[in-house]
C-alpha cells in the first residue's frame, strides 16, 4: 500500500498537471482491483457539478475501452461515408451521424451523438486515499487539495523567477524590457472553468486569490519564462465582427451600386435594396415611408442606421416587409438596412455598428401561454378559499 | 416666383376679421404662441392668385380645386388666396370645413320650408355669425325680400345685415336664412355695374368632398342621411354651380375630416366620387405637395428665428438632416415634430 501511496501522489500531480484533459488516474492498472462497484451514470454533454459527483464511478479500464471503441467506430464511419479515415474530424463525425440518423426531435441534446468518451463521461476525482485511509496528496486535509496545490505551484514559479532575476542582477544583465506576454484578445478562465479543470468547488474568494497571484506573476519582468504555464489559464476571445457576412455589392446596368439584405424581428420579415443614387427616398411596399409608418418612432428606427453611419441623404431604399405589427416591421427593416450598409462601409465602422447593436437580431419573441394561467405571465384571480 | 419660401405676415386685425373660424387649429395655436400669423408663400398659392388676377369676371366663375396629400398645406394656401381676395375688397363666403356639417350634429330638425329636408340650426347660426364678422361692410348694402314663416317676412329693400341678424336670432329658420343669403349674393354678385352695389364674390369651401360624400348623421328612423337632404349642403351645392358671374370659387379637398374614405386617397377623382366630380367639372386643379428644399430651409430658419427649436442639436447640420428624414418635408409633420423640440 505504501507503493500505491507514492504512486498515488505522482498520479494526482500528473492528473493536475494536464488541465482539462485526462483526469482519470491510471491507478487501477498498477494496483490490484479495489472492490469498487461500477455504477453507470447517465451521460450528458453538459458538465454537471463534478466535485459533487464524488469519487469515480467508471474505472479507468472502462474508459480506455470506450476510447478504443470510439476510435474503431470512427474509422468504420469514415469508411461508410467513403472518406479518408485518417483525416476524419469531429465535425465530419457530427455531419455523418446527422445524415445517417436523421432526427426530428426539437431538443438538440436528445439527438443521437457520437463524441469522444472524454466529452461524454464526466471527469471525476479518483479515490484519494489508500486502503489504510492515508491520503495520497500532502494537502488532502485542506479540503481543496487541487486548488491549494495550484497556488503552491504558482508561488514556486514566482520564487523561481525571483531567483532568476537575482542571478541576472548579479551578472549585471538585468534589464526591465524583456519579452512581454501578449494578453490582448484573451481573458482569464472563469471560476466555473477552473472548477471544471480542478474537479473541485472553489469559492469566489479563492478564485480572486488565484487571479491575484497570476497577476503578480505577470507583473514580474521575467515572466515570459512561464508563458506557457500562464497561457493555460487564459482563453482566447474570438474576434466578433469577423462573424458577419457582408452582402455582396452589385452593380446596376446604369452603374449604380446597390446591395440587398434581409432582416427579421418577431415574425416580421423584411427585404431591402439599398441603392447608392444620391437621393433620400424610401419606399416600403410601394408606399412612401411617411404613409406606411405614421408613427414617429418607427421612422426613427428606420433613420438610425443611416444616421449612425452618417450617410443620410445618400441612399435610395426600396423595401418590402410583411408579417407581425408595425414596430416589429420597423425593427426588421432597421436590421435589413444595417446589414445592407455593411457592404458600403469600412471595417472599423462595422465594428462600431456591431457595438451599437445595429447588427444583432433581436431574439425576443412572444412568450408561450401556459396552461393554468390566463396568458404567459398573468394568473387567474387568486382566491384564498 | 421670387417670393416662394418667404414668410408673409397676416395683419392681426385681418386675422380676427377674416378668419374667425377659417384657419387650421394648429395654426391658430401657432399664431397665439408666436404672436403673429405668418404664412409661407408657396407656388400653389401664387398660382391661384395669378389666376384670380387674370380671370374675367363677367363670365361664370372659375372653379379651383386644391388637392394634395395629407398635411401638405391645402387649407393654408386657400387661406392665403382668400386673404388676397379680402385685401382686394371682395365679399367672402368662407366655409371653413364642410365636414363639420355632415357629422357630429346634435340637432337635426325637419325643415320648416321644405318637407324632405333637414336643418342644422346650430351650424347655420354659427356660420352666419362668422359671415357677419367677415363681411361687415357689405351688410348694409344688399337688398332683398323673403318670406320665412307665416308670421315673419322680410320686406323688399331690407339690407342684408338685418337678414343675417334674423338668422342668428331665430335658430329655427337659420338654415333657410343661409340659403337665402347665398341666393341673393349669387344674384347680385355680377349683376350690379360699377357703382354702389358692385362687389366680387369669393366662395371658399374647405373639405369640398363632404358635399358629395356620405354623412354620419341619422334620421329619426335610424336610416342614414344623404347630403342632399341637408339644407345647408344643398344650398352650398347650388353655389358651386357656375350659373352666376362675377366671382371665383376656391375649394380645397380634405381627407382628414372625410368619412369613409381611405387614407391613401388624395386625388380629386378619388375623394369627390363620381357625382362630385361630374358636378365640379370643369375645374382648374392646383396640386399642393410637400416642401421642396428651399421651402424647407425657409421653414426651418423661421422656426429657428422664433426660437421654436429649443434643442441645441436641432441647430446643427445633423439635426437638420434628421428633421428632413423624419418629416420627409411634409409641412404638418414637420410642425408637429418641431413642437416638442
Amino acid at each position: 500500500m505504501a507503493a500505491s501511496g507514492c504512486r498515488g501522489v505522482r498520479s494526482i500531480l500528473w492528473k493536475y498537471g494536464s488541465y482539462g484533459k485526462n483526469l482519470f488516474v491510471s491507478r487501477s492498472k498498477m494496483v490490484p482491483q479495489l472492490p469498487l462497484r461500477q455504477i453507470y451514470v447517465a451521460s450528458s454533454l453538459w458538465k454537471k457539478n463534478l466535485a459533487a459527483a464524488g469519487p469515480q464511478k467508471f474505472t479507468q479500464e472502462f474508459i480506455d475501452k470506450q476510447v478504443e471503441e470510439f476510435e474503431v467506430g470512427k474509422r468504420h464511419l469514415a469508411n461508410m461515408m467513403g472518406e479518408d479515415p485518417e483525416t476524419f474530424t469531429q465535425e465530419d463525425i457530427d455531419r455523418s451521424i446527422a445524415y445517417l440518423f436523421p432526427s426530428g426531435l426539437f431538443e438538440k441534446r436528445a439527438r443521437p451523438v457520437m463524441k469522444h468518451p472524454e466529452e461524454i463521461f464526466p471527469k471525476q476525482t479518483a479515490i484519494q486515499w489508500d486502503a489504510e485511509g492515508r491520503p495520497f496528496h500532502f494537502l488532502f486535509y485542506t479540503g481543496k487539495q487541487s486548488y491549494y496545490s495550484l497556488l503552491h505551484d504558482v508561488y514556486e514559479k514566482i520564487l523561481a523567477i525571483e531567483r532568476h532575476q537575482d542571478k541576472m542582477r548579479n551578472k549585471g544583465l538585468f534589464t526591465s524590457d524583456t519579452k512581454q506576454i501578449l494578453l490582448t484578445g484573451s481573458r482569464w478562465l472563469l471560476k466555473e472553468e477552473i472548477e471544471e479543470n480542478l474537479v473541485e468547488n472553489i469559492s469566489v474568494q479563492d478564485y480572486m486569490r488565484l487571479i491575484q497571484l497570476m497577476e503578480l506573476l505577470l507583473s514580474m519582468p521575467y515572466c515570459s519564462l512561464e508563458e506557457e504555464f500562464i497561457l493555460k489559464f487564459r482563453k482566447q476571445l474570438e474576434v466578433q465582427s469577423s462573424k458577419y457576412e457582408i452582402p455582396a455589392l452589385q452593380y446596376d446596368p446604369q452603374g449604380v451600386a446597390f446591395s440587398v439584405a434581409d432582416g427579421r424581428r418577431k415574425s416580421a420579415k423584411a427585404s431591402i435594396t439599398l441603392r447608392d443614387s444620391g437621393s433620400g427616398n424610401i419606399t416600403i411596399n410601394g408606399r412612401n415611408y411617411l404613409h406606411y409608418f405614421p408613427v414617429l418612432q418607427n421612422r426613427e428606427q428606420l433613420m438610425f442606421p443611416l444616421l449612425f453611419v452618417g450617410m443620410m441623404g445618400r441612399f435610395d431604399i426600396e423595401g418590402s416587409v410583411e408579417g407581425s405589427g408595425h414596430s416589429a416591421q420597423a425593427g426588421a427593416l432597421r436590421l435589413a438596412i444595417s446589414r445592407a450598409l455593411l457592404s458600403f462601409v469600412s471595417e472599423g465602422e462595422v465594428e462600431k455598428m456591431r457595438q451599437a447593436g445595429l447588427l444583432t437580431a433581436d431574439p425576443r419573441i412572444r412568450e408561450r401561454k401556459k396552461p393554468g394561467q390566463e396568458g404567459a405571465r398573468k394568473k387567474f384571480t387568486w382566491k384564498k378559499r | 416666383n421670387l417670393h416662394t419660401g418667404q414668410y408673409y405676415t397676416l395683419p392681426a386685425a385681418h386675422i380676427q376679421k377674416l378668419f374667425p373660424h377659417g384657419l387650421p387649429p394648429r395654426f391658430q395655436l401657432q399664431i397665439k404662441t408666436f404672436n403673429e400669423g405668418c404664412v409661407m408663400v408657396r407656388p400653389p398659392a401664387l398660382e391661384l392668385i395669378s389666376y384670380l388676377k387674370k380671370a374675367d369676371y363677367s363670365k361664370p366663375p372659375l372653379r379651383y380645386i386644391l388637392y394634395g396629400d395629407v398635411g401638405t398645406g391645402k387649407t393654408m394656401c386657400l387661406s392665403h388666396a382668400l386673404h388676397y381676395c379680402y385685401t382686394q375688397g371682395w365679399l367672402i363666403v368662407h366655409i371653413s370645413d364642410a365636414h363639420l356639417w355632415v357629422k357630429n350634429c346634435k340637432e337635426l330638425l325637419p325643415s320648416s320650408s321644405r318637407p324632405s329636408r333637414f336643418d342644422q340650426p346650430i351650424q347655420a347660426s354659427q356660420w352666419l355669425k362668422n359671415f357677419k364678422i367677415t363681411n361687415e361692410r357689405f351688410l348694409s348694402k344688399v337688398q332683398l325680400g323673403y318670406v320665412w314663416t307665416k308670421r315673419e317676412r322680410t320686406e323688399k329693400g331690407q339690407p342684408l345685415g338685418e337678414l343675417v341678424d334674423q338668422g342668428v336670432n331665430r335658430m329655427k329658420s337659420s338654415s333657410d336664412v343661409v340659403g337665402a343669403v347665398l341666393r341673393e349674393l349669387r344674384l347680385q354678385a355680377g349683376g350690379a355695374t360699377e357703382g354702389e352695389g358692385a362687389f366680387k364674390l369669393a366662395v371658399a369651401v374647405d373639405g369640398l368632398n363632404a358635399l358629395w360624400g356620405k354623412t354620419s348623421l341619422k334620421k329619426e328612423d335610424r336610416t342614414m342621411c344623404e347630403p342632399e337632404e341637408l339644407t345647408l349642403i344643398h344650398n352650398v351645392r347650388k353655389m358651386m354651380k357656375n350659373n352666376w358671374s362675377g366671382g371665383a370659387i376656391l375649394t380645397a379637398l380634405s381627407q382628414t375630416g372625410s368619412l369613409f374614405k381611405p387614407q391613401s386617397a388624395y386625388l380629386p377623382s378619388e375623394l369627390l366620387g363620381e357625382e362630385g366630380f361630374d358636378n365640379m367639372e370643369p375645374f382648374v386643379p392646383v396640386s399642393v405637395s410637400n416642401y421642396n428644399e428651399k421651402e424647407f430651409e425657409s421653414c426651418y430658419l423661421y422656426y429657428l428665428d422664433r426660437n421654436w427649436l429649443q434643442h441645441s442639436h436641432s441647430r446643427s447640420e445633423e439635426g437638420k438632416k434628421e428633421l428632413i428624414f423624419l418629416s420627409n418635408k411634409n409641412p404638418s409633420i414637420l410642425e408637429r415634430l418641431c413642437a416638442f423640440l
Side-chain angles (χ1 to χ4, degrees), chain A residues 265-267 362-368:
Chain A
R265 165 99 211 266
K266 213 198 207 185
S267 99
D362 202 329
R364 298 179 283 179
I365 10 171
R366 187 156 159 218
E367 209 176 299
R368 179 207 144 167

Side-chain angles (χ1 to χ4, degrees), chain A residues 111-210:
Chain A
R111 293 181 179 180
V113 118
M114 180 171 165
K115 295 221 184 254
H116 194 93
E118 272 172 16
E119 293 172 41
I120 299 187
F121 296 101
K123 292 187 274 200
Q124 298 151 335
T125 54
I127 298 287
Q128 283 148 0
W129 52 86
D130 55 13
E132 286 164 14
R134 287 207 198 97
F136 297 121
H137 201 277
F138 71 104
L139 290 175
F140 174 79
Y141 285 112
T142 59
K144 302 180 237 181
Q145 59 176 40
S146 333
Y147 169 72
Y148 282 107
S149 67
L150 173 60
L151 285 189
H152 185 75
D153 280 337
V154 173
Y155 194 64
E156 276 231 20
K157 292 194 192 315
I158 292 178
L159 288 178
I161 292 184
E162 277 184 8
R163 265 178 262 131
H164 179 77
Q165 250 180 5
D166 290 336
K167 256 198 291 187
M168 300 301 272
R169 268 207 202 98
N170 286 341
K171 283 191 210 165
L173 295 173
F174 178 75
T175 45
S176 307
D177 54 341
T178 45
K179 174 170 163 261
Q180 294 298 315
I181 307 179
L182 277 175
L183 290 175
T184 53
S186 61
R187 59 168 174 86
W188 290 117
L189 285 187
L190 296 175
K191 175 169 160 299
E192 285 74 20
E193 286 163 347
I194 293 199
E195 274 182 0
E196 194 185 297
N197 286 344
L198 301 179
V199 197
E200 241 178 30
N201 290 336
I202 51 180
S203 71
V204 181
Q205 290 85 359
D206 297 337
Y207 175 68
M208 311 282 319
R209 180 85 189 98
L210 174 63

Side-chain angles (χ1 to χ4, degrees), chain A residues 266-318:
Chain A
K266 213 198 207 185
S267 99
K269 295 197 199 42
S271 166
I272 274 218
T273 319
L274 202 70
R275 267 173 242 273
D276 192 359
S277 51
S279 63
N281 308 333
I282 305 191
T283 316
I284 304 183
N285 282 356
R287 294 166 66 183
N288 196 9
Y289 69 113
L290 202 60
H291 289 273
Y292 197 77
F293 287 132
V295 180
L296 179 68
Q297 183 188 354
N298 300 337
R299 272 175 277 141
E300 278 180 351
Q301 290 287 301
L302 280 189
M303 183 177 79
F304 180 35
L306 298 170
L307 183 67
F308 188 79
V309 186
M311 301 176 175
M312 290 266 279
R314 191 172 139 189
F315 293 103
D316 239 0
I317 304 182
E318 192 189 304

Side-chain angles (χ1 to χ4, degrees), chain B residues 92-108:
Chain B
I92 311 269
V93 170
H94 180 38
I95 300 170
S96 62
D97 198 355
H99 290 299
L100 295 174
W101 289 357
V102 300
K103 49 182 178 172
N104 301 338
C105 179
K106 299 278 166 49
E107 283 181 15
L108 203 61

Side-chain angles (χ1 to χ4, degrees), chain A residues 280 282 287-291 296 299-300 302-303 306-307 310 312-313, chain B residues 69-70 263-264 290 318 321-322 324-328 330 333 337 340:
Chain A
I282 305 191
R287 294 166 66 183
N288 196 9
Y289 69 113
L290 202 60
H291 289 273
L296 179 68
R299 272 175 277 141
E300 278 180 351
L302 280 189
M303 183 177 79
L306 298 170
L307 183 67
M312 290 266 279
Chain B
D69 224 346
V70 170
Q263 218 206 13
S264 51
N290 288 333
E318 297 280 325
K321 281 195 202 159
E322 283 185 32
I324 298 182
F325 189 100
L326 285 176
S327 65
N328 202 23
N330 185 301
I333 303 252
L337 199 56
F340 52 82

Side-chain angles (χ1 to χ4, degrees), chain B residues 115-129:
Chain B
S116 64
R117 296 251 190 90
F118 289 93
D119 272 356
Q120 285 154 305
I122 318 176
Q123 273 90 346
S125 50
Q126 184 69 35
W127 186 80
L128 282 171
K129 277 192 217 137

Side-chain angles (χ1 to χ4, degrees), chain A residues 37-98:
Chain A
R37 262 191 310 148
Q38 292 185 8
I39 309 165
Y40 292 161
V41 175
S43 63
S44 107
L45 282 179
W46 302 135
K47 322 246 183 295
K48 292 201 255 184
N49 193 350
L50 301 168
Q56 64 175 29
K57 297 184 176 68
F58 309 112
T59 50
Q60 188 55 30
E61 229 175 46
F62 172 77
I63 301 286
D64 288 338
K65 205 174 76 174
Q66 296 292 317
V67 172
E68 262 179 57
E69 282 182 6
F70 175 75
E71 293 297 326
V72 170
K74 197 165 100 170
R75 298 185 77 90
H76 276 308
L77 188 60
N79 278 330
M80 268 197 277
M81 299 300 288
E83 303 205 18
D84 185 13
E86 305 298 332
T87 56
F88 205 58
T89 59
Q90 185 60 44
E91 281 169 19
D92 296 326
I93 298 180
D94 291 336
R95 200 169 26 89
S96 321
I97 294 289

